[in-house]
Amino acid sequence: MKILHLDKNHPLLINQLNDLGYTNHEDYTSSKEVIEAKISEYDGIIIRSRFTIDQQFLDAATNLKFIGRVGAGLENIDGDYAEEKGVALFNAPEGNRNAVGEHSLAMLLSLFNKLNKADKEVRQGKWQREENRGIELDGKTVGLIGYGNMGKAFAKKLRGFDVEVLCYDIKPNVGDANCKQVTLEELQEKSDVLSLHTPQTELTLNMVNTKFINGFKKPFWLINTARGKSVVTEDLVKAIESGRILGAGLDVLEYEKASFENLFRATLKDEGHLERSREVSKGLDCARPDNEQNSLPDAFQYLISSENVLLSPHVAGWTYESKEKLAQTIVDKIKTFVIQKE
């Protein structure tokens, strides 16, 4: 069996596949067109988020038996067409669920206790205690949308707090000892905190919009460690300005490109989100001149200047431990797949 690795991952992935007797080739730099021209030679692909696996690519992969995605989501792969072609898909939400749960909790506690704001002020010589008085998580109701690997990991982290945890999920009977499954209406009625743990699908695209936000009975805090395009940023900003949303912890943004590796790309100009043609690839320098700042979407400019918003660069599942766990999960699923085929 020949496997092509398209993204660098933890070395145990290749090492263990070598030990199993498979041939492993690495190509981390060639264009999608170059990969497509040789993909028929391979039985398996290991990818993270380098490019989209579409119908044209799958048609060229005439011997392909599986695709292993070293991550949780599968939106960069045409899963329906892969299934038609008899190609198995493996992802690894088990590998980074603990990291996502911890990151979600960290964002929530940081927002409640104004840690980001307070840290910055102390470094500037400001000692403002009353202005940085926090609120406690105990006694609050935390609502989760999506109760799969990530949602369950976050609910588990919340067990040490005196909170009520509710979840809404399109799948029935997913509630457990850590979380009560309810209707969306009940979740919107009771929640003080909303945390998203959903994949990117037609149902979740632009899910958190003005109509959705206004469905909540009381102002709430938003945590999003799932997918950026689930939240309409302009509607989020309006809700923060009006007090409907008290603050937001965002590990993901709708401006991310499909690979999740960079914040902006040139094609965003064509989507109406950005009025510049070059890519900003390694974070955002907020000290750029005004003419550079003004090229950013107004909603994003609001987020980076708001004291009620905490941002991170899509790293909720990005720990040293999860890197190893993700790789091991993919190896284990390939081994199971091959055994079943035999």
Side-chain angles (χ1 to χ4, degrees), residues 11-214:
L12 76 79
L13 204 160
I14 290 180
N15 291 340
Q16 291 193 21
L17 291 175
N18 278 333
D19 292 342
L20 290 169
Y22 306 146
T23 300
N24 292 275
H25 293 170
E26 302 165 71
D27 190 334
Y28 306 137
T29 59
S30 295
S31 68
K32 182 179 179 181
E33 290 72 24
V34 170
I35 300 295
E36 200 171 284
K38 65 180 180 179
I39 196 60
S40 61
E41 303 172 19
Y42 294 94
D43 302 283
I45 299 172
I46 304 295
I47 190 169
R48 193 170 65 239
S49 303
R50 184 165 154 198
F51 52 67
T52 300
I53 305 294
D54 53 20
Q55 291 190 14
Q56 179 176 311
F57 188 93
L58 289 166
D59 283 338
T62 52
N63 290 308
L64 198 63
K65 298 174 180 61
F66 69 83
I67 301 171
R69 204 244 147 179
V70 188
L74 289 169
E75 61 265 35
N76 61 327
I77 302 170
D78 190 331
D80 292 337
Y81 195 65
E83 184 177 356
E84 286 182 28
K85 304 282 285 187
V87 178
L89 299 183
F90 310 132
N91 60 338
E94 306 91 338
N96 62 357
R97 59 188 173 189
N98 183 71
V100 171
E102 290 190 5
H103 196 95
S104 301
L105 181 58
M107 282 193 137
L108 182 56
L109 293 176
S110 183
L111 285 169
F112 272 27
N113 293 283
K114 302 182 180 179
L115 295 182
N116 204 40
K117 173 179 177 292
D119 175 79
K120 182 167 59 176
E121 289 174 354
V122 172
R123 292 172 188 272
Q124 295 171 348
K126 300 176 183 178
W127 196 259
Q128 302 186 124
R129 298 185 68 217
E130 187 58 39
E131 292 82 351
N132 288 299
R133 188 183 290 273
I135 61 174
E136 296 180 16
L137 182 54
D138 277 21
K140 304 296 189 295
T141 297
V142 180
L144 313 178
I145 294 188
Y147 201 61
N149 282 282
M150 309 307 170
K152 288 178 179 178
F154 186 34
K156 183 178 179 181
K157 302 302 175 189
L158 291 167
R159 288 192 305 192
F161 297 87
D162 183 16
V163 296
E164 181 180 19
V165 184
L166 307 175
C167 68
Y168 170 73
D169 196 291
I170 60 174
K171 296 180 180 178
N173 305 317
V174 297
D176 55 26
N178 298 325
C179 182
K180 177 185 176 184
Q181 186 171 9
V182 297
T183 64
L184 180 59
E185 290 74 21
E186 184 174 347
L187 184 140
Q188 290 178 306
E189 178 184 352
K190 295 182 177 179
S191 294
D192 300 291
V193 176
L194 174 66
S195 187
L196 305 182
H197 299 280
T198 49
Q200 184 170 301
T201 68
E202 291 183 2
L203 291 175
T204 63
L205 280 172
N206 302 321
M207 174 177 63
V208 180
N209 53 27
T210 296
K211 180 180 179 181
F212 176 88
I213 293 167
N214 289 341

Side-chain angles (χ1 to χ4, degrees), residues 191-192 210 213-214 216-222 234-248 302 306 308-309:
S191 294
D192 300 291
T210 296
I213 293 167
N214 289 341
F216 282 76
K217 183 177 180 180
K218 51 188 174 181
F220 64 95
W221 301 79
L222 174 68
E234 290 185 0
D235 292 356
L236 167 62
V237 167
K238 291 175 184 176
I240 295 174
E241 289 178 321
S242 69
R244 294 291 302 164
I245 290 181
L246 300 170
Y302 178 90
S306 174
N308 296 335
V309 176

